[in-house]
Every structure is written in C-alpha cells, then in structure tokens.
Amino acid sequence: MLRPRYVMLGGFLGAGKTTAMLAFARMLRDRGLRVGAITNDQSVGLVDTQMLQAGGHQTEEISGGCFCCKFDSLLEAAQRLTAENQPDVLLAEPVGSCTDLRATVSEPLRQIYGDRVVVAPLSVVVDPIRAGRVLGLRDEKQFSSKVVYIYERQLEEADLIVVNKVDLLSTEDRSALREALQKRWPQKPVLEVGLRSGMGVEAWLDQVLNQEMVSRPAMEVNYDEYADGEALLGWLNLGGKLKGAEFDGNQWLLEAAAELQSVLQQSAVDCEIAHLKMTLLPHPGNDLGVVNLVRRNAPPELSYRLAEELEFGELTVNLRAEADPEWLREVALDVLGRVAGKHGLAWSIDQIQAFRPGRPVPVHRLGV
Ligand SMILES: Nc1nc2c(ncn2[C@@H]2O[C@H](COP(=O)(O)OP(=O)(O)OP(=O)(O)O)[C@@H](O)[C@H]2O)c(=O)[nH]1
Ligand SMILES: [Mg+2]
C-alpha cells in the first residue's frame, strides 16, 4: 500500500489553517486524490472539526492536548483514517499556540514511522496584520512578550512561511512585510496567498505535494517561556442549544460575536483576542453558519452563512484570548444569554470548559 503524505499546517490562532485545510481538501479531491483530516485542541467541541465534517471530509479530532503531547493519538488517528479510507494525503492542523512541531511531530514521524507516512515540509500560515504587529511594522496593542515568543518560534521553525489574507494589505504593506520576514529569517521561503480568493493556493499545494521535509537540527526552544506564553492564553470551549420561533442564525452569530468583542474590549482588562469562532448547526438539516473574529479591533465576519432561518440550533463557541479563562466564561455566559434573550430565544448549555493550556511535554523531541 502507498504511504499517505502527512501535510501539517501550523501557524498562530486565526491565521487561516482550517480555511487552508478546506481549500486543500477540495483541490485534492478535484485532482482525484483521497484526503483525511486531523484536527487538534486542548479540549473537546471543536469548530474546526465541524467545518471539515460539513465539507464531507473524513476527520479525526485529537483533544486533550497538542500533537506533540498526544503523539500516539496522532499516530492512531492517522492509522484509523488510513484503514478506513486509504487517503493519499493526511492534512493535520495543530493547536495555534503550539510550536516546536518539526522536532516533536514531523521528525518523529519521519524517523520512526517513515515506513507509514511521507512527511511534507511544515507550512506556517500567517495573518499579515498579526505578523506586522509582531515584527514592529504596526504600532498596535498586541500580546505579551511570552506569547510573542511562541509566535516567533513558529516562524523560526517553518519550512515555508505562508502569508495569507493578502487582500488585507496595500502593495506597500505587502512588500514591507515580505522584507521584514526575509530580514529576520533570511533564506526562508515566503509564499503569499489569499485563501479567500484562491490566489497562490494551487502553487502552495504543489509545493507540499512535491517536496519532502529536510532534516536539520532541532530549533532551540525555552520550554519555560513557551509554557508561560501558552498559560497566558485563556481557552473557552462551550456547546449549547438555541431554540425559539424562526430566527436569522447569521444575524444572531454576528450580533453575539460583536457583543462579546465589545465587552472584552470595554472592560478594564481590554484583552487581546486571538480567535473567537462560533458555529450554529440547525436541527434538522445539514447547514452550517460560522462567525470568526481574529483581532480585538477587527469586525466579526461570517466565513459560512446559513442558507435559511432556523428554530433550533446547536451552538459551539471556541474563544482564545489573553485573559483569565474564568472571566472569559463569565463574559461569554452573560453575553450569549443576553443576545439569546434579545431575540426571544431559549438557551441551554451542554458543556463548557474554561482553562489555560498546560505545559507542553512532548513524547518525542528529535533533531537530525
Ligand atoms: N480577509 C481574509 N480572511 C481570511 C482569508 N483566509 C481565511 N480568512 C479568515 O480568517 C479567519 C480565521 O480562519 P481559520 O481558518 O479559522 O484560522 P485558523 O488558523 O484555523 O484558526 P485556529 O483554529 O483558531 O488556530 C476566518 O474568518 C477566515 O474566513 C483570506 O484570504 N482573507
Ligand atoms: Mg483552525
């Protein structure tokens, strides 16, 4: 049997990894290739898994820790997908606050399990506004230095830096970002793409399909700083139900996201939002609405629209922000309840988890 190709799409929260997985999966299908997807989170109830499943892609979700700490679960997920569907390509999205993935995931896969998978170069997807802040091109509020430490390690270990969302940049800002990236990490290939428009995406896919990862020494990582950086982020995963007379789910998602944003910013904490994503799945039906917010001062946007109004829907909320998770829980419960009430909807919660990611303890860590 042919070995599937393991394609990992890293990058910070909100950069566009899931959007890229969906685009790659569609393109691979159009090229007559089979795909398996692997999503990952510190907890259960993932928006990303719902999006990939709604796209009709065979998807395994690894919860309860990142790929490096749950390496055996990653391997088992790859094996299950291979046994079920014999995919040509395994698309894997690590948690957006993770780094050191080459040494803890790609190298172990290549060195220990190279008879089972071919490992593609590691792409690191970048939101250009966030990258501009980290590289000092934009004088705007950003994360604390320990979170920035993780962001910089992600770029440092990339085999391929993929600047996404070029539609958000002027020509001048685009070349300033390219220059800043190349100055900081000379010799690193930088690709510019627009996942929304499709610009450059086929060429990127060709690169990860035609190249294999090349071994090099493991990057230096200060795991104390990495752990502190992750622990500064508050994580909230919430699942619940909305019920009432027919309502416009798209409008509801937009209003709830805008209200959450407003409260998170107006409070004394004024926290930086890494990514707020919410889905609404109507029952019965197989429709999906998704709203995303990737920066504190950007407007929430629908990346998927519900086609029709609904009476009953399952709501999933994934919020990652630099703030106390208990406070995020309080704010989310208050805001969601208020916005539900405003629309005359009954609202209930099935599960809720609020926490800070634990210290990463990789199963393997290999260099050359
Ligand atoms: N303007 C613009 N937005 C984009 C583009 N590609 C993706 N996005 C948006 O960026 C937001 C985040 O995208 P995701 O794919 O969910 O990001 P992610 O990296 O998977 O985020 P996490 O799973 O939280 O780490 C969504 O609202 C996307 O629609 C693009 O080319 N242009
Ligand atoms: Mg994602």
Side-chain angles (χ1 to χ4, degrees):
M1 196 175 67
L2 282 175
R3 292 172 300 162
R5 174 171 285 264
Y6 178 81
V7 174
M8 189 154 57
L9 303 177
F12 201 72
L13 298 154
K17 299 178 293 295
T18 307
T19 315
M21 298 256 285
L22 285 159
F24 276 8
R26 271 193 307 272
M27 288 172 182
L28 289 163
R29 212 147 56 175
D30 291 348
R31 294 182 189 192
L33 296 171
R34 279 194 296 268
V35 178
I38 307 175
T39 58
N40 181 212
D41 194 47
Q42 311 285 0
S43 183
V44 292
L46 262 199
V47 161
D48 293 358
T49 309
Q50 290 179 351
M51 290 175 71
L52 284 152
Q53 285 171 342
H57 307 295
Q58 209 136 16
T59 307
E60 288 273 340
E61 177 179 298
I62 295 175
S63 53
C66 51
F67 284 159
C68 63
C69 309
K70 305 277 281 183
F71 184 84
D72 295 338
S73 305
L74 171 66
L75 206 62
E76 284 159 20
Q79 277 168 337
R80 268 196 303 278
L81 287 167
T82 305
E84 283 163 18
N85 192 31
Q86 285 160 18
D88 301 286
V89 179
L90 290 166
L91 296 171
E93 175 179 348
V95 179
S97 60
C98 269
T99 187
D100 207 20
L101 290 158
R102 270 185 58 99
T104 60
V105 180
S106 305
E107 279 293 358
L109 280 178
R110 194 186 69 81
Q111 292 186 29
I112 310 172
Y113 301 98
D115 57 334
R116 301 189 202 170
V117 285
V118 178
V119 184
L122 171 66
S123 297
V124 172
V125 188
V126 166
D127 175 302
I129 310 291
R130 176 85 61 210
R133 289 180 187 171
V134 169
L135 292 165
L137 301 174
R138 307 177 81 95
D139 188 17
E140 293 163 351
K141 182 182 158 84
Q142 66 159 323
F143 294 112
S144 305
S145 60
K146 286 184 175 170
V147 180
V148 171
Y149 176 80
I150 298 174
Y151 195 98
E152 291 178 335
R153 296 292 75 67
Q154 290 183 340
L155 288 170
E156 186 180 329
E157 72 165 332
D159 293 316
L160 197 57
I161 295 178
V162 184
V163 176
N164 179 30
K165 313 189 192 181
V166 289
D167 56 291
L168 298 180
L169 296 183
S170 65
T171 316
E172 298 77 53
D173 287 350
R174 203 166 139 180
S175 43
L177 179 57
R178 197 171 41 232
E179 273 169 31
L181 284 166
Q182 279 169 344
K183 188 166 168 216
R184 183 80 191 271
W185 293 283
Q187 278 131 37
K188 204 155 282 260
V190 177
L191 268 184
E192 292 170 326
V193 305
L195 280 158
R196 278 219 181 135
S197 66
M199 190 210 93
V201 184
E202 291 273 2
W204 173 21
L205 178 59
D206 287 340
Q207 285 207 33
V208 295
L209 291 186
N210 295 328
Q211 295 173 8
E212 284 188 34
M213 76 171 285
V214 175
S215 282
R216 53 174 194 254
M219 159 179 83
E220 245 178 63
V221 182
N222 178 334
Y223 266 71
D224 291 334
E225 202 151 342
Y226 176 13
D228 287 353
E230 276 209 293
L232 286 170
L233 297 169
W235 227 254
L236 177 78
N237 282 12
L238 180 156
K241 294 189 176 63
L242 285 173
K243 197 175 173 186
E246 276 206 338
F247 67 100
D248 180 341
N250 297 318
Q251 187 53 35
W252 194 91
L253 285 170
L254 280 171
E255 259 184 67
E259 185 59 20
L260 260 171
Q261 176 181 32
S262 152
V263 176
L264 293 175
Q265 277 179 227
Q266 275 166 19
S267 71
V269 180
D270 187 17
C271 72
E272 178 60 2
I273 297 167
H275 199 176
L276 163 66
K277 43 193 174 175
M278 296 197 279
T279 55
L280 197 51
L281 278 158
H283 279 298
N286 51 10
D287 203 1
L288 176 74
V290 186
V291 71
N292 300 76
L293 174 66
V294 291
R295 282 178 296 282
R296 59 195 285 284
N297 53 356
E301 290 178 341
L302 288 170
S303 52
Y304 282 80
R305 297 187 76 88
L306 289 155
E308 291 174 356
E309 297 205 327
L310 69 159
E311 292 178 355
F312 180 65
E314 284 204 25
L315 177 73
T316 303
V317 180
N318 293 170
L319 170 61
R320 289 87 178 89
E322 187 174 340
D324 174 7
E326 285 309 319
W327 179 68
L328 294 178
R329 181 211 297 258
E330 258 174 54
V331 168
L333 289 177
D334 174 51
V335 166
L336 296 171
R338 263 194 291 124
V339 181
K342 191 176 148 202
H343 288 254
L345 303 175
W347 126 269
S348 60
I349 300 162
D350 298 328
Q351 58 95 7
I352 182 162
Q353 287 109 29
F355 58 94
R356 297 181 187 278
R359 185 186 175 89
V361 184
V363 176
H364 304 280
R365 188 164 196 274
L366 305 175
V368 174

